[in-house]
């Protein structure tokens, strides 16, 4: 672990986020609103942004990471206006990210094998954890659960637990049981959420959902009813016992109902939208689900346009 700055005390995100954005670089074009509501449903990102992760806290601000250089963009969901909160650096990436209630952003670093903590108010990098020394890691997504932020590695059968809001050591949790680790690539462990009972995590891995015991790392495949798999499963969002699975290249979000112990998931409906262009992850705010379009099937160049979209729940 490399500590760049002393760990800050726990804090809430200040209501002055808009003022901070006023001085941030990288503002983009006009968002599109639903007639009669004034609330945008499309949010532009800078050209060449290469988005993958999105997170939203208790306030109406979305934070979206860049695969290009690890920068983080913040958008006001009420107006669609935004700017670069955290400047990028060549060789870094921000894949999955989650905003904690104390205003700290936990960021998955992809091929760097790191987890970073960024102040969501100022954009300052606070801490960098080196999660693995493997030659080819891919730290993909993160969930906040109890005293840790848990990160997936798409190229290793392990979860990494980073302490939340206090000093401590990273915990490596090897995955065993029914877990099937795919060959090298990024189609294995991806999005993750806590189980409804809070006793474990649900992880999407190679088109299947697994329930992971956080004490032992034992993984059990969740029985799917209504579809054989969740091919292209990427980001996960859970509201109570309803689980939303973003299936990226299929341009859809499938909605599943979990039984009490998350042993079985039953498909209840599918959300599609003509604006989906390989959405990767999602975050909920109010009665909407917000998704970033990674556009993996389009040229990934500095001139490629990117955006986020909102759909009704």
């Amino acid at each position: 672990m490399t500590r760049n700055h002393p760990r800050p005390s726990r804090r809430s995100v200040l209501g002055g986020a808009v003022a901070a954005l006023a001085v941030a670089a990288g503002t983009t074009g006009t968002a599109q609103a639903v007639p009669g509501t004034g609330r945008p449903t499309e949010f532009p990102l800078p050209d060449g942004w290469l988005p993958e992760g999105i997170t939203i806290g208790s306030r109406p601000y979305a934070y979206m990471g860049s695969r290009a250089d690890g920068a983080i963009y913040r958008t006001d969901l009420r107006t669609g206006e935004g700017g670069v909160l955290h400047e990028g650096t060549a060789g870094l990436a921000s894949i999955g990210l989650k905003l904690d209630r104390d205003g700290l952003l936990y960021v998955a670093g992809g091929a760097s094998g790191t987890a970073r903590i960024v102040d969501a108010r100022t954009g300052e990098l606070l801490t960098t954890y080196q999660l693995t020394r493997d030659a080819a890691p891919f730290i993909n997504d993160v969930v906040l659960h109890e005293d840790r932020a848990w990160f997936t590695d798409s190229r290793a059968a392990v979860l990494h637990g980073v302490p939340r809001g206090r000093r401590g050591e990273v915990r490596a949790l090897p995955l065993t049981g029914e877990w099937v680790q795919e060959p090298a690539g990024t189609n294995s462990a991806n999005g993750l959420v806590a189980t409804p009972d809070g006793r474990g995590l649900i992880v999407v891995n190679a088109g299947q959902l697994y329930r992971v015991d956080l004490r032992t790392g034992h993984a059990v495949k969740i029985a799917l009813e209504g579809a054989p798999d969740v091919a292209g499963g990427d980001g996960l969002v859970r509201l109570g016992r309803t689980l939303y699975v973003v299936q990226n290249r299929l341009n859809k979000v499938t909605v599943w109902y979990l039984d009490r112990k998350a042993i079985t998931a039953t498909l209840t409906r599918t959300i599609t939208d003509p604006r989906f262009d390989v959405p990767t992850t999602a975050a909920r705010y109010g009665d909407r689900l917000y998704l970033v379009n990674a556009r993996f099937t389009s040229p990934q160049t500095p001139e490629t346009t990117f955006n986020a979209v909102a759909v009704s729940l």
Side-chain angles (χ1 to χ4, degrees), residues 1 9 24-25 43 64 101 103 139-140 158 194 228-229 251 255 265 288 295:
M1 176 192 78
S9 60
F43 307 85
M64 293 161 279
R101 56 181 174 270
I139 307 303
N140 198 323
V158 63
D229 56 37
N251 286 315
V255 186
R288 291 180 174 183
R295 306 196 68 195

Side-chain angles (χ1 to χ4, degrees), residues 202-242:
I202 296 171
V203 184
V204 61
N205 170 44
Q208 297 294 328
L209 298 173
Y210 290 81
R211 187 179 72 258
V212 176
D213 188 315
L214 284 177
R215 297 170 302 165
T216 64
H218 186 82
V220 177
K221 188 182 293 186
I222 297 174
L224 303 181
E225 297 185 353
D229 56 37
V230 286
D234 203 323
L236 301 182
V237 174
R238 183 182 61 78
L239 303 178
R241 284 162 63 177
T242 300

Side-chain angles (χ1 to χ4, degrees), residues 209 222-227 243 256-259 262-267:
L209 298 173
I222 297 174
L224 303 181
E225 297 185 353
L243 180 69
W256 303 79
Y257 185 74
L258 300 165
D259 64 3
I263 295 172
T264 300
T266 302
L267 181 64

Side-chain angles (χ1 to χ4, degrees), residues 2 15-16 28 49 54 71 152 157 168 171 173 183 193 202 206 216 233 236 245 250 257 262 276 282 288 304 310:
T2 301
T28 59
W49 188 255
I54 181 172
T152 53
R171 179 188 174 194
L173 182 67
V193 293
I202 296 171
T216 64
L236 301 182
V245 181
L250 299 182
Y257 185 74
F276 286 174
R288 291 180 174 183
T304 303

Side-chain angles (χ1 to χ4, degrees), residues 75-273:
T75 293
D76 188 328
L77 300 179
R78 298 164 298 186
T79 65
E81 297 178 355
V84 176
L85 169 73
H86 174 71
E87 294 288 346
T89 302
L92 292 183
S94 293
I95 312 300
L97 64 168
K98 288 294 185 295
L99 176 63
D100 209 344
R101 56 181 174 270
D102 58 4
L104 300 183
L105 279 166
Y106 292 78
V107 184
S112 68
T114 62
R116 306 195 313 278
I117 301 177
V118 173
D119 189 318
R121 180 177 61 90
T122 66
E124 180 184 10
L125 174 64
L126 302 174
T127 307
T128 298
Y129 290 91
Q130 188 66 49
L131 301 182
T132 176
R133 298 291 180 180
D134 288 354
F138 195 84
I139 307 303
N140 198 323
D141 211 345
V142 55
V143 66
L144 306 176
H145 181 56
E146 296 183 340
D147 63 341
R148 292 185 182 272
W150 288 98
F151 292 81
T152 53
D153 186 339
S154 293
R155 294 175 179 167
V158 63
L159 300 179
H160 302 278
V162 169
R164 288 172 67 185
R166 62 179 178 83
R167 298 180 183 274
E169 297 299 319
V170 174
R171 179 188 174 194
L173 182 67
L175 298 172
T176 61
E178 298 179 6
W179 185 267
V180 176
Q181 185 65 30
E182 296 295 316
T186 57
N187 61 339
S188 290
N190 204 319
L192 67 172
V193 293
T195 57
D197 62 10
R199 296 181 180 179
L201 299 180
I202 296 171
V203 184
V204 61
N205 170 44
Q208 297 294 328
L209 298 173
Y210 290 81
R211 187 179 72 258
V212 176
D213 188 315
L214 284 177
R215 297 170 302 165
T216 64
H218 186 82
V220 177
K221 188 182 293 186
I222 297 174
L224 303 181
E225 297 185 353
D229 56 37
V230 286
D234 203 323
L236 301 182
V237 174
R238 183 182 61 78
L239 303 178
R241 284 162 63 177
T242 300
L243 180 69
Y244 297 84
V245 181
V246 182
Q247 295 181 243
N248 51 36
R249 292 177 186 266
L250 299 182
N251 286 315
K252 66 181 182 180
V253 179
T254 47
V255 186
W256 303 79
Y257 185 74
L258 300 165
D259 64 3
R260 186 170 57 87
K261 294 185 178 180
I263 295 172
T264 300
T266 302
L267 181 64
T268 60
R269 64 190 177 100
T270 299
I271 300 171
T272 59
D273 192 287

